[in-house]
Amino acid sequence: MYNIAIISGDGIGQEVMDSCEYLLDKLDIEFSFDYGEAGFDCFNKNGTTLPEETIKIANKSDAVLFGASTSTPGQPSPIINLRKALSVYANIRPIRSYRGVNCIRDDIDFVIVRENTEGLYSQVEYGDEEKMIAERRITRSASERISKAAFNLCIKREESKVTCVHKSNVLKKTDGVFKESFYKVSKNYPQIKTEDYYVDAMAMYLITHPQKFDVIVSSNLFGDILSDESAGLIGGLGLAPSGNIGDHNGLFEPVHGSAPDIAGKYIANPCSMILSASMMLDYLGEWEISNDIKQAVEKVMADCKIRTPDLGGDASTMDVTKAIVRELI
Ligand code: NAI
Ligand code: MG
């Protein structure tokens, strides 16, 4: 029996989480769910985007599922603070092409490993009327830790290369440390090839030859931006799952946000949330069922019949969810 913390958030976060729970209920695994609030609706109700109670529920769970939340003006981001509170420092974002989906190429299969605890997402900003400063904190310890996570993931995925992305020609000190840490850690993995690119060039290479990458490691903001770009290569954010892994907990969430433009229409693509749940099951050691879910999503995509409007179809979130469940049982 696994204790899972469910934090749906708002907007389509709630809709894709309903679909994910529907699927989890059909599996031959026992779960107990604890529910936590976070996000915009939560702020309007409780005066905070991330109540202490939610952090407690997440902390005592075996793993956390997070939907998405709309940003609240003047308030910190609940997901960034939750990742920090749980010390889930490695944000793992797999990107691959699916048969039947309009991808830029059909042989894309890489993973972005994004540092989750510092960088430009420190949320430390200050200044005056005229000038505002945002703190971009990069430490050797966090940079080495994320590089190590990237190399270990490269071994787990049986791949051969890790690419470090930075901007050390301009951010000489902060990204100097990030790059140096990467090459220091690489010495412990002599069997794995290494390379590094400036983030602006990398933004282009991801479009010109995305098939050449295996594991990409970057700091918080760059990793976030490259993830959405990468999702665009494979049909959009509806197919981009993620896991946030630490030494003691794992938090799994789609890469996308609350999508206010489609919220309430029940047409959000549930695949990124469902694939995030598959990553959670892999993390929990339920490898077989994790793999079955991935294959069920692949099958439904390849069939090209039941799909949400973002992929050119007219099915609802629940239609797609049920089609995936039908492949599973
Ligand atoms: P977004 O990821 O919510 O949406 C970007 C575009 O992708 C929209 O056109 C949306 O309709 C589409 N999209 C996203 N997920 C989809 C899905 N599952 N199925 C079909 N289409 C999908 O990003 P946006 O619009 O920049 O931000 C909306 C809100 O979400 C903002 O308040 C933002 O701060 C928040 N946000 C929250 C995140 C989180 O909770 N982890 C992450 C990113 C943004
Ligand atoms: Mg993002």
Side-chain angles (χ1 to χ4, degrees), residues 12 27 30 46 48 78 93 101 105 116 118 144 151 157 168 179 191 224 237 273 294 301:
I12 65 163
L27 302 180
E30 249 191 272
N46 307 306
T48 168
R93 296 178 148 185
V101 175
R105 298 177 59 100
N116 238 353
E118 51 180 35
E144 286 180 19
F151 283 102
R157 285 169 58 98
S168 70
K179 183 178 158 185
Q191 75 281 26
D224 197 14
L237 286 165
M273 185 75 237
K294 268 191 276 183
M301 291 300 109

Side-chain angles (χ1 to χ4, degrees), residues 2-8 17 20 24 32-36 38 50 54-67 78-79 82-83 85-86 88 242-245 248-254 273 276-277 279-281 283-284:
Y2 299 107
N3 176 243
I4 307 300
I6 302 239
I7 305 167
S8 306
M17 189 65 86
C20 181
L24 292 177
S32 75
F33 296 133
D34 277 334
Y35 296 87
L50 184 64
T54 300
I55 299 178
K56 254 192 230 150
I57 289 171
N59 252 320
K60 69 175 178 55
S61 68
D62 295 311
V64 184
L65 285 171
F66 185 90
I79 184 61
L82 186 59
R83 291 172 187 147
L86 298 176
V88 283
S242 86
N244 302 266
I245 313 287
H248 307 290
N249 211 329
L251 183 163
F252 300 83
E253 50 163 338
M273 185 75 237
S276 303
M279 289 178 76
M280 176 186 81
L281 289 163
Y283 167 83
L284 292 171

Side-chain angles (χ1 to χ4, degrees), residues 34-53:
D34 277 334
Y35 296 87
E37 292 178 292
F40 185 70
D41 290 352
C42 170
F43 177 78
N44 288 335
K45 196 168 136 206
N46 307 306
T48 168
T49 53
L50 184 64
E52 275 304 314
E53 180 61 18

Side-chain angles (χ1 to χ4, degrees), residues 140-314:
R140 280 190 200 277
S141 49
S143 303
E144 286 180 19
R145 185 173 64 174
I146 198 66
S147 287
K148 195 169 159 212
F151 283 102
N152 287 340
L153 186 60
C154 188
I155 292 171
K156 184 178 175 214
R157 285 169 58 98
E158 299 179 349
E159 288 174 326
S160 62
K161 184 174 72 176
V162 183
T163 306
C164 174
V165 179
H166 56 84
K167 188 67 184 168
S168 70
N169 52 338
V170 176
L171 300 164
K172 291 185 198 276
K173 289 188 197 275
T174 48
D175 269 7
V177 163
F178 192 80
K179 183 178 158 185
E180 264 169 49
S181 304
F182 169 74
Y183 281 111
K184 180 178 168 205
V185 169
S186 76
K187 294 205 175 80
N188 299 325
Y189 300 87
Q191 75 281 26
I192 297 177
K193 284 190 236 130
T194 53
E195 64 185 7
D196 70 279
Y197 291 120
Y198 299 132
V199 63
D200 38 0
M202 185 66 181
M204 180 187 70
Y205 296 144
L206 277 175
I207 291 168
T208 54
H209 51 267
Q211 77 283 7
K212 295 249 167 86
F213 299 106
D214 294 338
V215 177
I216 297 164
V217 63
S218 195
S219 54
N220 211 331
L221 174 69
F222 295 162
D224 197 14
I225 295 173
L226 295 181
S227 309
D228 278 34
E229 180 189 353
S230 302
L233 304 174
I234 55 141
L237 286 165
L239 284 167
S242 86
N244 302 266
I245 313 287
D247 294 330
H248 307 290
N249 211 329
L251 183 163
F252 300 83
E253 50 163 338
V255 170
H256 63 71
S258 62
D261 52 339
I262 56 165
K265 296 184 179 159
Y266 303 97
I267 52 164
N269 189 339
C271 291
S272 37
M273 185 75 237
I274 287 172
L275 290 166
S276 303
S278 156
M279 289 178 76
M280 176 186 81
L281 289 163
D282 179 74
Y283 167 83
L284 292 171
E286 299 287 347
W287 301 296
E288 206 176 309
I289 189 73
S290 163
N291 212 32
D292 289 348
I293 294 173
K294 268 191 276 183
Q295 283 178 6
V297 171
E298 275 168 29
K299 181 84 184 11
V300 171
M301 291 300 109
D303 279 352
C304 301
K305 285 190 209 118
I306 302 172
R307 51 180 61 197
T308 42
D310 54 309
L311 298 180
D314 57 6

